[in-house]
Structures are given as structure tokens and as C-alpha cells.
Amino acid sequence: MTHRDSTLLPILSLLLAACMWGTVWYPLRLLEGGGLHGLWSILVAYTTAMLPGLVLLWRHGDELRRDPKALVVMALANGWCNVAFVLAVIEGPVMRVLLLFYLSPLWSVILARLILDERLSREARLVFAMALAGALIMLWNPALGLPWPQGAGDWLAVSAGFGFALSNVMIRRMQAVSIWTRTSVSWVGVLVIALFMLGLSGQAVPAAVSGGVWLGAVGLGVFGIIIMTVTVQYGVSHLPIHRSAVILLFELVAGAVSSYLLAHELVKAQEWVGGALIVAAAYVSAHAARKQGEVD
């Protein structure tokens, strides 16, 4: 197999994952419209995905003892990332949610300094400034005063990006733990957070919905969560971080097109400008990883 052939499949894998993550909001909204609360959709979908994950955990159970504290932090961070992201795309405008989620490079710079003791390079400071400027532009509303997240959807999107950044930083600490173990533990984290949120929200008992809606949530787990997770893990494992990070930004394109065609949502010029700075920050962050030779 040529080098070109060996990299084409991971690239296509990441593009598929990006397209799916950029459009997953639509089946989630359909399930919500069918009467199934977003948290229950998450619980059913990830429980379905977790079934093969239990087999993987059984086969790689010895790895759970290598860095249990880091695994727990990663699981909870990833759990919150997924739960908050799903609730955000149900609650708020898709593109705004995606752009605020991609503030994650900003949080990655801060967390890498605090947890991994990585010094802030010139590129890292630039990423910090660009992402922060983009967020301020997006969130600025003269009528509301300070540029601050507006409503539950904004807060969920920002916190999901923070959870994503924390999860990635913890993954970098666990090079001795296999992808399969990290994936399975991450799914467990989603289930834990979803159950906790169901208890807090008073939705511990699901609403009476049709069997077709429940089957749709199961289908989302099989044909959505499992495929999206495996394609991301495969692509990231076979490509340098700087390449995979940029390719995954295609999620924004998928989100913009799908939200316009399926929900007739329009993005304001102010949000495009702020979003462009956030995307540029993600690109600079990926370029910095390449320059520093973190992976290749």
C-alpha cells in the first residue's frame, strides 16, 4: 500500500465523522419532537453503544489500573462534553453552538499549562487571544451589556468545549492506555453524567412515547454514536494531530449547510466574524502542534 493510500482512509474516516457530528442535531431534535427528552435520547443511544464497549473493557481490563485517576477525569469530562453538546444543539441555534464549542483551543492552552506544565509558546498565546476575541465578538450584545453567554444553549456549548479540551489533555497523559479502553471508559462517563442529569432534572421516569421513537434512539446509538466514535478514533490514530484537528473543522461546514437546509437557521454577520476567529485559532493551534513536532 502506498503512502497516499494509507492516509486516504483516515482522512475519509475523519470527514465522515465530521459530517455526522455536524448533522447529529437533526435526529436528536426529531427524537425530542417525538416526546423523548434529550437526556433519555443520550442514555439510550450511549447504552446501545456501550454494549460492545463492555466486551472491549473485559478484554483490556488490566489497563484500568495504569492511571485510574486520569481515566476517571477523562470519563467525566468526556461525559459532560457529550451530554452538554447534545442538549445545546437541541436548545440553541446549531452554528452558534458549534462555534462556541470550538472555543476548545482556548481551554486547551490553559489546561495544558495547568495539568501538563506546558509553557505558553508564541503560537499558544496567539491562539488564546484569537479564540477570546472571537468569543467576545460573537457574544457581544449592546442591549445586554457584557459579552457573556446568553441562555442555556450558549452555556452548554461553551462548557461542552471545555469538557472536550479537558478530555483531550487527559488522553495525552495516558499514552499507555489503548484507544479501545479510553473509548469504552468515555462512554461510561457519558452514561454516568446522563443519569446524574436525569436525576437533577426530574426526568427520572421517561415520558410515554411510541416504540418507534425508542427504536430511533437505539438506531442513533448503533448507526450514529458507534460509527462517529470509531471513525474519529481511527482517523486520529493514523494521522498527525495537526492534520486531524483541521479536517475535523469540516464539522462546521456540515453544521452550517444542514442547519440552513433542515432548520432554515441563518448565521448573523457578527457570528460569522467571531466564528472565523475561533476557527482560525483552532487552525493555528493545529499548526503549532505540527511545528513543535508533538506527533508526526
Side-chain angles (χ1 to χ4, degrees):
M1 182 180 293
T2 66
H3 177 71
R4 179 180 178 182
D5 293 334
S6 65
T7 58
L8 180 60
L9 187 56
I11 290 172
L12 293 175
S13 178
L14 288 177
L15 285 174
L16 173 61
C19 288
M20 294 182 72
W21 277 112
T23 56
V24 73
W25 62 271
Y26 187 65
L28 287 166
R29 287 189 182 180
L30 290 179
L31 292 172
E32 180 87 3
L36 191 62
H37 190 275
L39 288 171
W40 275 102
S41 296
I42 296 169
L43 188 64
V44 174
Y46 276 91
T47 298
T48 304
M50 189 60 217
L51 295 178
L54 291 175
V55 177
L56 296 173
L57 280 180
W58 180 73
R59 291 183 176 180
H60 302 274
D62 58 312
E63 294 184 352
L64 297 175
R65 295 188 293 271
R66 292 180 181 175
D67 198 346
K69 291 182 180 179
L71 277 171
V72 169
V73 174
M74 182 210 68
L76 295 178
N78 187 76
W80 177 255
C81 167
N82 283 270
V83 171
F85 179 82
V86 167
L87 294 179
V89 294
I90 294 175
E91 179 79 20
V94 175
M95 274 307 294
R96 186 174 176 86
V97 168
L98 290 175
L99 290 169
L100 288 175
F101 175 81
Y102 273 100
L103 279 172
S104 54
L106 170 63
W107 313 129
S108 295
V109 168
I110 297 172
L111 292 171
R113 181 71 181 94
L114 295 176
I115 297 175
L116 303 177
D117 198 29
E118 291 185 356
R119 301 186 63 181
L120 292 180
S121 63
R122 182 179 62 181
E123 289 85 357
R125 291 193 292 269
L126 180 60
V127 165
F128 189 96
M130 292 173 66
L132 185 59
L136 293 176
I137 292 172
M138 280 190 66
L139 298 172
W140 175 253
N141 186 337
L144 299 177
L146 292 175
W148 207 249
Q150 302 160 19
D154 282 7
W155 281 109
L156 287 167
V158 171
S159 64
F162 181 86
F164 181 71
L166 178 57
S167 176
N168 286 342
V169 169
M170 298 311 297
I171 286 173
R172 290 183 58 186
R173 282 191 48 178
M174 297 183 294
Q175 298 300 320
V177 180
S178 70
I179 292 174
W180 302 113
T181 298
R182 295 198 301 260
T183 299
S184 302
V185 171
S186 296
W187 284 341
V188 171
V190 175
L191 296 179
V192 170
I193 296 296
L195 287 170
F196 178 74
M197 293 295 291
L198 279 169
L200 287 181
S201 65
Q203 299 284 338
V205 178
V209 297
S210 68
V213 174
W214 288 109
L215 188 60
V218 172
L220 179 61
V222 175
F223 300 106
I225 304 304
I226 292 178
I227 293 177
M228 289 189 294
T229 303
V230 172
T231 50
V232 168
Q233 292 284 358
Y234 177 81
V236 170
S237 301
H238 290 79
L239 288 175
I241 289 175
H242 64 271
R243 294 190 67 186
S244 59
V246 173
I247 293 170
L248 285 172
L249 287 175
F250 191 76
E251 179 183 342
L252 296 173
V253 178
V257 173
S258 63
S259 63
Y260 175 75
L261 294 177
L262 299 174
H264 308 292
E265 294 181 359
L266 297 177
V267 183
K268 300 175 183 177
Q270 174 183 339
E271 292 176 331
W272 277 121
V273 173
L277 281 171
I278 292 172
V279 172
Y283 181 84
V284 171
S285 178
H287 179 73
R290 177 184 183 182
K291 184 178 178 180
Q292 293 169 7
E294 291 174 358
V295 285
D296 211 2

